[in-house]
């Protein structure tokens, strides 16, 4: 796969294509994604992790920001709690394959005088309304936002400048914050970042994936739990918004290349698919039973996450 196709696959938006094409001509462009340390790393995080791995293969230097201060400002726990989670999350990311990358703890970056001064300068320009709207999708308890949550997007803009990255990766819920960075950083002498946005996937029940709803698979789940969750997963006959098909598209095909569904001969025997499009078409036509799809996805997910469990066991 050519670098452009690799970098853009499974994204919902690239801002902009022309800038990305120019960036790919640089010898070693730098990309980052930030993660709030908050509970388990799950399949929602894996979407952007996979994208960072794609970009690493395409020649990018990858930076992962463990955003402990952001989590604190977003009411995810005390500083002690989020720092402990940051170290645990780092081990999960390494187990998923994010190695030979630079990990940065937010509080190590964000408390310098230079960082704080740039953040305050930006806060003079971004209106309260823009800051509030940028947090609509990512903020906790935004029906009663705190001042700390208005600082959050300004810090994210400052992160992009201070880390010296050329591109930012995030879910589509990060779009409004990224657009603030594109709008305001140039006026302070920093390059305008290329932004790549990935979709927000459904949870196992077909609803929005949420830590509070527990409708996800943690990357540290044991094999039996993964199989049980997949067996109970919502898997309608339709292909749109089907969480099992999303799992295959965004997690399993990018890692394994092809997927085999093992079935008894009386039910048609094994089926092997070299692309998600072919599998999705077959499922939509009724050629694949939901139970067979869930079983296959569960077994591949067990294989995908096994290195994470092994890594965590060897790095207590």
């Amino acid at each position: 796969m050519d670098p452009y196709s690799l970098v853009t696959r499974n994204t919902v938006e690239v801002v902009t294509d022309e800038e990305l094409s120019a960036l790919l001509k640089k010898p070693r462009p730098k990309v980052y994604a930030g993660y709030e340390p908050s509970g388990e790393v799950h399949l929602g995080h894996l979407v952007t992790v996979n994208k960072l791995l794609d970009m690493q293969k395409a020649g990018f230097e990858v930076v992962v920001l463990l955003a402990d201060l952001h989590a604190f400002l977003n009411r995810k726990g005390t500083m002690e709690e989020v720092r402990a989670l940051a170290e645990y999350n780092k081990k999960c990311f390494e187990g998923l394959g994010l190695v030979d990358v630079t990990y940065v703890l937010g509080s190590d970056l964000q408390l310098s005088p230079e960082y704080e001064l740039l953040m305050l300068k930006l806060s003079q320009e971004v209106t309260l309304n823009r800051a509030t709207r940028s947090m609509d999708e990512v903020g906790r308890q935004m029906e009663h936002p705190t001042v700390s949550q208005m600082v959050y997007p300004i810090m994210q803009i400052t992160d992009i400048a201070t880390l010296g990255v050329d591109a930012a990766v995030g879910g589509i819920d990060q779009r409004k914050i990224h657009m603030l960075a594109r709008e305001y950083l140039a006026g302070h002498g920093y390059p305008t970042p290329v932004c790549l946005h990935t979709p927000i996937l459904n949870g196992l029940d077909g609803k929005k994936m949420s830590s509070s709803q527990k409708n996800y698979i943690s990357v540290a789940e044991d094999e039996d739990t993964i199989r049980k969750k997949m067996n109970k997963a919502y898997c309608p006959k339709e292909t749109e918004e089907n969480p099992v098909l999303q799992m295959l598209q965004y997690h399993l095909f990018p890692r394994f290349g092809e997927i085999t569904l093992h079935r008894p001969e009386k039910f048609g025997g094994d089926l092997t698919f070299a692309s998600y499009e072919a599998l999705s078409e077959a499922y939509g036509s009724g050629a694949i039973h939901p139970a067979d799809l869930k079983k296959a996805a569960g077994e591949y997910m067990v294989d995908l996450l096994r290195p994470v469990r092994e890594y965590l066991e060897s790095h207590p």
Side-chain angles (χ1 to χ4, degrees):
M1 190 178 294
D2 66 274
Y4 178 84
S5 297
L6 186 61
V7 166
T8 58
R9 69 171 174 176
N10 288 336
T11 59
V12 293
E13 182 184 48
V14 177
V15 186
T16 66
D17 277 307
E18 294 79 5
E19 293 171 9
L20 176 61
S21 296
L23 196 56
L24 286 167
K25 296 175 183 177
K26 294 181 61 173
R28 188 71 167 154
K30 186 186 291 189
V31 62
Y32 105 108
Y35 298 91
E36 284 188 21
S38 57
E40 293 290 343
V41 174
H42 53 71
L43 297 189
H45 299 93
L46 188 53
V47 183
T48 50
V49 169
N50 287 338
K51 183 47 51 193
L52 291 177
L53 290 171
D54 284 344
M55 298 186 79
Q56 187 179 46
K57 290 177 185 176
F60 280 78
E61 177 185 351
V62 173
V63 178
V64 175
L65 180 67
L66 301 166
D68 56 341
L69 269 180
H70 281 90
F72 175 67
L73 291 174
N74 203 16
R75 303 195 267 187
K76 297 291 182 69
T78 66
M79 281 302 297
E80 292 74 18
E81 289 169 340
V82 295
R83 279 178 175 157
L85 281 170
E87 184 58 34
Y88 170 71
N89 287 177
K90 177 184 175 183
K91 293 176 183 177
C92 292
F93 292 141
E94 290 172 334
L96 285 167
L98 269 181
V99 294
D100 298 323
V101 307
T102 301
Y103 286 93
V104 178
L105 185 65
S107 54
D108 288 342
L109 174 80
Q110 296 157 346
L111 297 177
S112 71
E114 295 79 13
Y115 182 100
E116 293 293 330
L117 182 58
L118 176 57
M119 186 182 72
L120 291 172
K121 288 178 179 178
L122 289 164
S123 72
Q124 289 182 309
E125 301 171 24
V126 179
T127 67
L128 186 59
N129 184 49
R130 290 287 301 279
T132 304
R133 285 193 287 120
S134 74
M135 287 292 290
D136 284 345
E137 299 294 326
V138 299
R140 174 173 285 191
Q141 302 168 23
M142 286 302 292
E143 63 275 10
H144 300 292
T146 60
V147 173
S148 69
Q149 290 170 299
M150 300 304 97
V151 175
Y152 185 111
I154 311 300
M155 285 180 60
Q156 196 163 333
I157 301 170
T158 312
D159 292 339
I160 292 171
T162 307
L163 290 170
V165 298
D166 303 291
V169 166
I172 192 63
D173 57 345
Q174 299 281 327
R175 187 184 194 279
K176 291 178 182 177
I177 297 177
H178 285 167
M179 294 307 101
L180 289 176
R182 286 182 57 84
E183 183 174 341
Y184 290 104
L185 282 183
H188 293 270
Y190 294 95
T192 300
V194 174
C195 301
L196 297 99
H197 298 133
T198 56
I200 306 300
L201 303 189
N202 290 332
L204 295 175
D205 56 1
K207 301 174 183 177
K208 182 179 179 180
M209 194 177 298
S210 167
S211 296
S212 62
Q213 296 300 315
K214 304 293 184 183
N215 60 351
Y216 59 83
I217 291 175
S218 159
V219 301
E221 303 269 24
D222 63 80
E223 296 185 8
D224 287 342
T225 300
I226 293 172
R227 292 187 177 102
K228 288 177 182 176
K229 286 188 173 183
M230 288 305 303
N231 186 53
K232 296 178 180 178
Y234 175 66
C235 189
K237 294 180 180 180
E238 295 77 22
T239 58
E240 294 296 320
E241 301 298 319
N242 183 317
V244 179
L245 285 175
Q246 288 181 340
M247 191 180 299
L248 285 154
Q249 178 178 0
Y250 292 99
H251 301 317
L252 300 177
F253 271 101
R255 297 290 191 117
F256 294 100
E258 67 176 28
I259 299 293
T260 297
L261 279 66
H262 297 288
R263 307 183 302 179
E265 286 298 327
K266 64 179 180 178
F267 295 128
D270 293 352
L271 287 173
T272 297
F273 297 92
S275 71
Y276 169 74
E277 290 73 20
L279 184 148
S280 178
E281 183 178 348
Y283 182 78
S285 72
I288 299 172
H289 192 277
D292 293 324
L293 189 74
K294 292 194 289 185
K295 183 178 179 180
E299 291 306 315
Y300 277 97
M301 188 56 65
V302 165
D303 290 343
L304 173 61
L305 298 182
R306 184 175 291 115
V308 183
R309 297 187 295 274
E310 293 174 350
Y311 189 86
L312 290 173
E313 289 171 3
S314 63
H315 294 77

